[in-house]
Amino acid sequence: MEVSIKKSDILPTGLEEIYQSRFDSSGRAKIEFVQDDTLSLLLVVGSKDQSDPEFFEMLYFEPRANIDLTIENGSPTFEGDLKKINSYYTKINLIERERIKYANANYRKYLSVSSLKREAYFDSLMQFGTELKKQINLDYSLSEYYRQMLLDYNSLYEITQRMHLDTQVAITENNENGSSVVLDATLTNAFKDLSVHHQYIDKPYYIWRLGNRLMLIFNDILKYHYDNEIKTGEYEYVQGAIVKNAKLNDYRELLMALFVAHMSYG
């Protein structure tokens, strides 16, 4: 059976395989690779195309670390370096799978409700992982660095679930009204509903969700561009809309890179 390690780039270009191996007759597989960065890696067992893997798990990795992972009855147990961190990673990932299952079963009925009811829905999503947060905060064997890293990793999923619903609401408005936002020549309100969370912009999962949210905004801007036969080039026109929003000043290059990625999909 195959086993592979993959990592995501910051731009949504897909997962890059770092190394692939096979289990030997004793049921062990060894993967060695050289990386200078701290990484979140995806371990996939039994399916090269990830369509239906026997097992998959996100791993936290640091340079020169040795991670010993045993999979038994679908459950991972860690030994070696970063044992505690990856054990918490696994717990956070399990909670997120439950949160996604709950969100998929419920989010459609919140697409067209009042903002008050939508906030109540978000509150219900935030209840997932509450006990684990307490456990991490009370685990004094963790350094402050690792404690904050794990709390941020958990919060990343909370924020991206909110961003996912915002995206679905915008898609619904787009389908009903032809646009998710009404623009004028100033384009000042094009990004009015967008928030960028600076602490997560190095996380590929966050960038993927951000890219999905931006896709609709970019499409609205381009539609206005073509409907009004504006002579400015697409790139410069979108860039001009970003520049007009002061809260996005620090993220111009990232947003334009995501725009280029979005325009490349076709």
Side-chain angles (χ1 to χ4, degrees), residues 11-110:
L11 289 177
T13 51
L15 286 160
E16 173 193 345
E17 188 168 87
I18 295 178
Y19 197 93
Q20 184 178 322
S21 183
R22 282 185 172 274
F23 287 100
D24 61 23
S25 57
S26 66
R28 291 191 64 83
K30 186 175 184 179
I31 291 181
E32 292 182 299
F33 59 92
V34 177
Q35 276 290 328
D36 295 329
D37 295 327
T38 298
L39 301 171
S40 283
L41 297 169
L42 178 65
L43 175 74
V44 180
V45 176
S47 176
K48 190 172 184 178
D49 62 2
Q50 294 174 244
S51 58
D52 188 24
E54 293 287 331
F55 176 86
F56 65 95
E57 187 62 73
M58 292 299 299
L59 304 177
Y60 173 76
F61 177 81
E62 292 178 356
R64 293 174 295 281
N66 290 298
I67 297 173
D68 194 332
L69 166 62
T70 301
I71 306 165
E72 189 169 4
N73 297 324
S75 297
T77 305
F78 294 93
E79 295 295 339
D81 301 332
L82 305 171
K83 169 184 174 181
K84 177 160 280 192
I85 306 305
N86 276 302
S87 295
Y88 274 124
Y89 245 55
T90 295
K91 291 177 183 178
I92 292 170
N93 291 328
L94 285 172
I95 287 169
E96 178 55 14
R97 288 170 201 170
E98 288 300 311
R99 194 198 324 258
I100 288 173
K101 191 185 299 181
Y102 174 83
N104 287 342
N106 290 280
Y107 85 89
R108 288 189 183 280
K109 63 186 178 187
Y110 290 97

Side-chain angles (χ1 to χ4, degrees), residues 15-261:
L15 286 160
E16 173 193 345
E17 188 168 87
I18 295 178
Y19 197 93
Q20 184 178 322
S21 183
R22 282 185 172 274
F23 287 100
D24 61 23
S25 57
S26 66
R28 291 191 64 83
K30 186 175 184 179
I31 291 181
E32 292 182 299
F33 59 92
V34 177
Q35 276 290 328
D36 295 329
D37 295 327
T38 298
L39 301 171
S40 283
L41 297 169
L42 178 65
L43 175 74
V44 180
V45 176
S47 176
K48 190 172 184 178
D49 62 2
Q50 294 174 244
S51 58
D52 188 24
E54 293 287 331
F55 176 86
F56 65 95
E57 187 62 73
M58 292 299 299
L59 304 177
Y60 173 76
F61 177 81
E62 292 178 356
R64 293 174 295 281
N66 290 298
I67 297 173
D68 194 332
L69 166 62
T70 301
I71 306 165
E72 189 169 4
N73 297 324
S75 297
T77 305
F78 294 93
E79 295 295 339
D81 301 332
L82 305 171
K83 169 184 174 181
K84 177 160 280 192
I85 306 305
N86 276 302
S87 295
Y88 274 124
Y89 245 55
T90 295
K91 291 177 183 178
I92 292 170
N93 291 328
L94 285 172
I95 287 169
E96 178 55 14
R97 288 170 201 170
E98 288 300 311
R99 194 198 324 258
I100 288 173
K101 191 185 299 181
Y102 174 83
N104 287 342
N106 290 280
Y107 85 89
R108 288 189 183 280
K109 63 186 178 187
Y110 290 97
L111 294 180
S112 303
V113 299
S114 67
S115 58
L116 198 61
K117 287 184 178 178
R118 202 172 291 152
E119 284 304 317
Y121 169 68
F122 282 128
D123 288 343
S124 67
L125 284 177
M126 297 310 107
Q127 296 311 305
F128 289 84
T130 301
E131 290 304 314
L132 184 58
K133 281 185 194 175
K134 291 178 184 176
Q135 185 181 341
I136 293 169
N137 271 316
L138 293 173
D139 189 342
Y140 298 110
S141 67
L142 292 170
S143 69
E144 185 56 35
Y145 171 81
Y146 285 125
R147 179 180 292 107
Q148 193 57 53
M149 184 197 76
L150 290 167
L151 291 172
D152 283 346
Y153 185 51
N154 187 72
S155 297
L156 164 68
Y157 287 128
E158 295 176 353
I159 287 168
T160 50
Q161 278 297 333
R162 177 180 286 265
M163 192 181 291
H164 174 61
L165 185 65
D166 287 344
T167 302
Q168 296 306 312
V169 169
I171 289 172
T172 301
E173 292 175 354
N174 233 320
N175 292 337
E176 292 175 355
N177 308 319
S179 178
S180 57
V181 63
V182 178
L183 298 178
D184 59 29
T186 66
L187 297 179
T188 50
N189 65 331
F191 296 92
K192 67 181 178 64
D193 296 325
L194 180 73
S195 296
V196 181
H197 302 83
H198 68 89
Q199 68 269 45
Y200 301 120
I201 60 173
D202 62 338
K203 309 295 185 200
Y205 185 71
Y206 177 78
I207 295 300
W208 175 59
R209 288 294 196 196
L210 178 62
N212 287 341
R213 180 70 189 94
L214 283 165
M215 176 180 68
L216 298 163
I217 299 173
F218 292 150
N219 287 344
D220 285 341
I221 295 171
L222 291 176
K223 183 177 185 303
Y224 188 89
H225 174 275
Y226 291 122
D227 286 351
N228 292 275
E229 299 181 352
I230 293 166
K231 303 301 182 187
T232 310
E234 294 170 344
Y235 185 91
E236 290 77 13
Y237 194 65
V238 172
Q239 189 177 48
I242 292 171
V243 167
K244 289 175 183 176
N245 194 314
K247 69 179 181 181
L248 301 178
N249 279 347
D250 294 336
Y251 311 109
R252 289 179 192 174
E253 289 187 16
L254 171 63
L255 299 187
M256 290 311 299
L258 288 169
F259 173 68
V260 171

